[in-house]
Amino acid sequence: MPKNDQKTPIQLLGLPQDNNVSYLSGPCMAPTRIREALFCDSANLWTETGFDLSDKKLWQDAGDVSLYDKTGLEAFELIHTSITKLVKSGYQVLSLGGDHSVSFPAISAHAENHGRLSILHIDAHPDLYDDMQGNSYSHASPFARLMESGLIDRLVQIGIRTLNGHQREQAARFGVEIHEMCDLSQVGSISFDRPVYLSLDMDALDPAFAPGVSHYEPGGLSTRAVLDVIHNFSGQLIGADVVELNPHRDPGNVTAMVAAKFTKEIMGRILIDRK
Ligand code: MN
Ligand code: MN
């Protein structure tokens, strides 16, 4: 079981990489935009669960991993090393992507330290492609690589609405538990025995709520539905990432504000689960 003696503050870590996208660049600018939204005077820093995140003892900005001139496995190695260092020192890490490929090294680093992890993955896409456009480390493939690693106990996905034949086969092969958008009736009873890592792709939301993403998939989750999952699943949250915000598609920073809201509520959930 996870340790309950984790050090505060939670570490907010930027992973500004979008080398593994299949369509549009832009997510490398997301960590900066989310931080700006977090500190924007239009809102306060309290979570809905009662934590005042202006208290510097609760979390700290660990800055960005220096990825600007790094690609491929060299970038993954740097992400993996940076997160491993923090996790081994007893810190909990909330990462801001970046495209979704960053979750492979980020979650691997957590799983190696915590033993077999469960992943709660909220996304329009299952991201289980064996490869995408010849890239096996594409942002469409991180959960295939993680399930092959043997480090993952369970992968539970919510909000999926893009399953094709190949990804259905991959999901069956890896035993992925999928709550498709067309049937969310069991989401309220999701429960985990092992430590939980949350990976939140902003395109899980309906584009009406979050237009600042690369891949528009109508028929998605509301902001409130995602908050309900963050607040209410049964289990202990030990780490998370928020990925795939594309500032090029985000006039008025409305999606950055949603990502900042999730960042706050995820921190609140991590703090609650320590008790
Ligand atoms: Mn994704
Ligand atoms: Mn997605």
Side-chain angles (χ1 to χ4, degrees):
M1 287 303 290
K3 296 171 284 189
N4 282 314
D5 58 350
Q6 277 108 354
K7 282 185 200 166
T8 48
I10 294 168
Q11 304 290 306
L12 188 72
L13 184 68
L15 305 176
Q17 172 180 310
D18 59 13
N19 301 127
N20 292 301
V21 297
S22 56
Y23 181 48
L24 299 174
S25 61
C28 71
M29 296 159 52
T32 303
R33 293 289 173 271
I34 297 171
R35 287 188 185 97
E36 285 168 4
L38 208 47
F39 290 111
C40 177
D41 286 339
S42 77
N44 67 46
L45 279 165
W46 283 74
T47 70
E48 294 186 4
T49 48
F51 293 97
D52 179 3
L53 297 178
S54 65
D55 180 350
K56 291 186 167 47
K57 291 192 293 297
L58 298 183
W59 71 280
Q60 146 182 112
D61 191 344
D64 288 349
V65 177
S66 184
L67 294 166
Y68 67 96
D69 59 348
K70 302 286 192 299
T71 58
L73 293 180
E74 195 186 5
F76 280 7
E77 188 56 40
L78 205 49
I79 294 168
H80 184 273
T81 306
S82 305
I83 294 179
T84 297
K85 204 164 134 192
L86 290 169
V87 170
K88 278 196 185 304
S89 303
Y91 291 110
Q92 288 167 299
V93 182
L94 170 45
S95 299
L96 304 177
D99 71 55
H100 216 156
S101 71
V102 302
S103 296
F104 173 51
I107 298 177
S108 297
H110 281 84
E112 286 159 16
N113 194 61
H114 282 276
R116 288 171 63 80
L117 264 189
S118 290
I119 303 171
L120 179 56
H121 170 205
I122 308 178
D123 201 327
H125 313 93
D127 293 348
L128 290 167
Y129 278 97
D130 190 41
D131 75 80
M132 171 62 77
Q133 300 165 349
N135 179 6
S136 54
Y137 296 104
S138 164
H139 72 155
S141 302
F143 296 94
R145 299 294 85 78
L146 283 160
M147 295 311 280
E148 289 163 353
S149 73
L151 295 167
I152 305 304
D153 186 49
R154 287 172 65 195
L155 173 58
V156 178
Q157 300 183 326
I158 299 175
I160 309 301
R161 48 196 187 275
T162 55
L163 275 170
N164 59 10
H166 169 64
Q167 294 203 95
R168 279 186 198 279
E169 282 170 22
Q170 292 281 83
R173 182 157 80 93
F174 297 130
V176 183
E177 301 160 53
I178 304 185
H179 299 263
E180 285 189 71
M181 206 58 225
C182 57
D183 178 15
L184 295 176
S185 60
Q186 302 303 310
V187 164
S189 57
I190 291 174
S191 176
F192 297 96
D193 299 325
R194 303 285 315 160
V196 181
Y197 183 100
L198 171 64
S199 189
L200 174 49
D201 183 325
M202 292 301 293
D203 68 31
L205 294 163
D206 193 277
F209 292 89
V213 297
S214 301
H215 302 266
Y216 292 160
E217 283 295 339
L221 293 159
S222 67
T223 305
R224 179 49 53 185
V226 173
L227 291 169
D228 284 345
V229 173
I230 293 169
H231 290 150
N232 296 328
F233 74 84
S234 298
Q236 184 171 21
L237 185 62
I238 53 91
D241 56 59
V242 178
V243 299
E244 294 284 346
L245 167 68
N246 188 338
H248 290 317
R249 311 249 278 185
D250 194 28
N253 298 322
V254 60
T255 313
M257 208 66 196
V258 178
K261 171 87 174 170
F262 292 155
T263 299
K264 286 191 286 189
E265 297 304 322
I266 290 169
M267 283 192 200
R269 175 70 202 237
I270 289 172
L271 293 167
I272 284 174
D273 286 353
R274 280 180 184 173
K275 291 174 182 165

